[in-house]
């Protein structure tokens, strides 16, 4: 500690500086919003004009899964990346077993809430094509149901076969890619749908996305690679060596 | 008039909550405040007539992120920012 005679001052030690910066940022945002003419009309008109061709009647879903499906594709991959990072960090964290559940109240809550959550997720998924809702919201509810199960030390992620879990997590990104590439092979731009199929493709994508997002979020909360018994693999090698 | 007052109150509460999330020394308190921030933010999105965002904010921004923060907090040894900062400084 020879070279650091001066005390280090992090932003947290000077909260007022942070507040001033925040207020300046807020003022800049307010200025952009309040000065007339600085905000263009937005793309609402274009969206409304081509809504009929999108296959769904909800503007948000039309943007997310048709006009800007590319963004949603990347979001699915980012979630997948998050799970991969968490799994690769497994050794960094402590893998102590979860504390035993708080017991009866949580169990009763689970019994009441889980069916309701699955129902709500399904409704949100379906409602997404015409009103508020959609894959991410439904996926979040499913993820919440998974978290609730994990809180009760339910080992549902450990029981799930590894292959099923990995396929479940990668289902949405892979399906998205497949849809995009299928469009390419038919001579259309990446991730575009034919008008007749648009509705069906969007609903299928949403179902896959909600499922994968829910599984991804629950896996993220578990925070580690599920523990698999390594016996089968060893047995296989042992059998090979025996031959 | 009442609606405008409600909006003003909502905005002020959001800023107040955000400030206390950042300034709170107790991380558990910060997480709880963050969850309440997310809930009020969802209300804000409803007021801005963006129900999709409100749903996503309530479910992901508040619920799941809050749960993730809480589980991360359990894995951290020290629960005050100062203590962990001191530990980190000592490591250097």
């Amino acid at each position: 500690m020879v070279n650091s005679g001066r005390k280090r001052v992090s932003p947290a030690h000077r909260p007022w500086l942070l507040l001033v910066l925040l207020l300046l940022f807020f003022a800049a945002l307010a200025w952009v919003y309040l000065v007339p003419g600085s905000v263009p009309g937005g793309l609402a008109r274009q969206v409304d004009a081509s809504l009929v061709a999108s296959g769904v009647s909800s503007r948000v879903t039309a943007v997310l899964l048709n006009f800007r499906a590319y963004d949603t594709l990347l979001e699915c991959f980012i979630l997948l990346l998050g799970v991969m990072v968490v799994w690769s960090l497994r050794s960094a964290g402590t893998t102590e077993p979860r504390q035993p559940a708080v017991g009866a109240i949580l169990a009763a809550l689970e019994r009441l809430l889980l069916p309701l959550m699955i129902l709500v997720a399904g409704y949100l998924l379906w409602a997404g094509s015409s009103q508020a809702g959609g894959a991410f919201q439904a996926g979040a509810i499913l993820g919440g149901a998974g978290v609730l199960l994990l809180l009760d030390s339910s080992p549902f992620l450990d029981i799930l076969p590894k292959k099923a879990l990995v396929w479940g997590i990668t289902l949405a990104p892979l399906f998205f890619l497949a849809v995009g590439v299928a469009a390419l092979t038919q001579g259309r731009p990446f991730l575009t749908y034919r008008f007749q199929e648009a509705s069906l493709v969007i609903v299928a994508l949403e179902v896959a996305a909600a499922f994968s997002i829910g599984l991804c979020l629950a896996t993220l909360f578990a925070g580690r690679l599920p523990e698999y018994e390594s016996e089968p693999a060893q047995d296989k090698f042992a059998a090979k060596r025996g031959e | 008039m009442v609606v405008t007052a409600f909006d003003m109150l909502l905005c002020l509460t959001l800023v107040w909550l955000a400030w206390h999330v950042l300034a709170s020394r107790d991380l558990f308190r910060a997480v709880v405040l963050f969850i309440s921030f997310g809930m009020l933010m969802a209300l804000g999105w409803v007021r801005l007539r963006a129900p999709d965002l409100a749903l996503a904010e309530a479910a992901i921004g508040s619920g799941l992120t809050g749960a993730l923060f809480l589980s991360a907090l359990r894995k951290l040894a020290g629960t005050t920012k100062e203590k962990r900062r001191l530990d980190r400084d000592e490591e250097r």
Side-chain angles (χ1 to χ4, degrees):
Chain A
M1 288 282 125
V2 184
N3 53 353
S4 65
R6 220 158 35 117
K7 204 178 167 190
R8 223 163 37 86
V9 180
S10 66
H13 290 134
R14 276 187 185 166
W16 293 108
L17 193 66
L18 196 65
L19 189 64
V20 169
L21 281 176
L22 275 175
L23 282 177
L24 279 177
F25 180 62
F26 178 74
L29 282 181
W31 183 73
V32 168
Y33 188 74
L34 291 177
V35 170
S38 56
V39 181
L43 295 170
R45 205 170 294 158
Q46 279 98 316
V47 169
D48 281 341
S50 28
L51 196 59
V52 187
S54 73
V56 284
S57 54
S58 157
R59 286 184 195 167
V60 177
T61 308
V63 170
L64 284 182
L65 281 145
N66 196 335
F67 307 146
R68 301 281 301 170
Y70 207 90
D71 292 1
T72 311
L73 168 80
L74 291 181
E75 275 167 22
C76 283
F77 271 98
I78 284 171
L79 258 179
L80 181 64
L81 195 67
V83 172
M84 281 159 70
V85 167
V86 165
W87 279 0
S88 65
L89 285 177
R90 180 199 179 196
S91 55
T94 50
T95 51
E96 70 201 88
R98 303 192 155 271
Q99 282 148 13
V102 241
I105 298 177
L106 189 58
L109 197 67
E110 242 168 47
R111 221 168 292 136
L112 276 175
L113 280 184
L114 277 183
L116 200 64
M117 284 173 107
I118 293 170
L119 200 67
V120 168
Y123 169 72
L124 280 178
L125 195 58
W126 183 247
S129 60
S130 58
Q131 43 183 303
F136 268 85
Q137 287 82 351
I141 304 273
L142 284 180
V147 167
L148 206 58
L149 273 176
L150 286 171
L151 278 180
D152 197 17
S153 327
S154 157
F156 78 99
L157 281 177
D158 299 320
I159 292 172
L160 216 61
K162 190 178 184 185
K163 250 183 199 163
L165 183 63
V166 171
W167 276 110
I169 284 173
T170 48
L171 174 70
L174 288 183
F175 187 39
F176 241 117
L177 263 191
V179 168
V181 172
L184 277 183
T185 57
Q186 290 164 2
R188 282 173 290 131
F190 186 64
L191 264 183
T192 48
Y193 324 126
R194 267 199 295 263
F195 175 64
Q196 307 91 309
E197 301 164 353
S199 279
L200 193 67
V201 172
I202 286 176
V203 169
L205 275 176
E206 285 212 275
V207 171
F211 180 72
S212 285
I213 288 167
L215 206 54
C216 274
L217 291 174
T219 319
L220 278 177
F221 182 77
R224 63 190 164 79
L225 195 65
E227 282 152 11
Y228 297 108
E229 293 156 10
S230 46
E231 271 84 42
Q234 281 170 356
D235 280 354
K236 203 167 66 188
F237 287 121
K240 261 187 193 167
R241 259 179 273 128
E243 272 178 337
Chain B
M1 188 59 210
V2 176
V3 174
T4 316
F6 175 77
D7 287 349
M8 296 282 283
L9 190 67
L10 188 61
C11 285
L12 288 176
T13 316
L14 277 175
V15 174
W16 184 86
L17 271 177
W19 176 251
H20 279 269
V21 168
L22 293 174
S24 161
R25 288 186 181 184
D26 184 7
L27 278 181
F28 179 75
R29 195 180 127 99
V31 171
V32 172
L33 287 176
F34 176 82
I35 294 173
S36 3
F37 175 86
M39 282 298 165
L40 286 183
M41 193 68 225
L43 206 56
W45 288 124
V46 171
R47 288 294 303 140
L48 289 168
R49 278 171 289 169
D52 292 84
L53 271 179
L55 279 171
E57 176 73 41
I60 303 181
S62 184
L64 276 163
T65 317
L68 274 176
F69 275 150
L70 284 178
S71 93
L73 202 58
R74 194 168 50 190
K75 290 185 180 169
L76 292 173
T79 47
T80 61
K81 287 181 192 169
E82 265 71 23
K83 186 176 176 300
R84 283 188 302 114
R85 206 172 278 137
L86 282 177
D87 291 347
R88 212 172 51 204
D89 284 350
E90 272 169 25
E91 275 171 27
R92 287 202 182 131

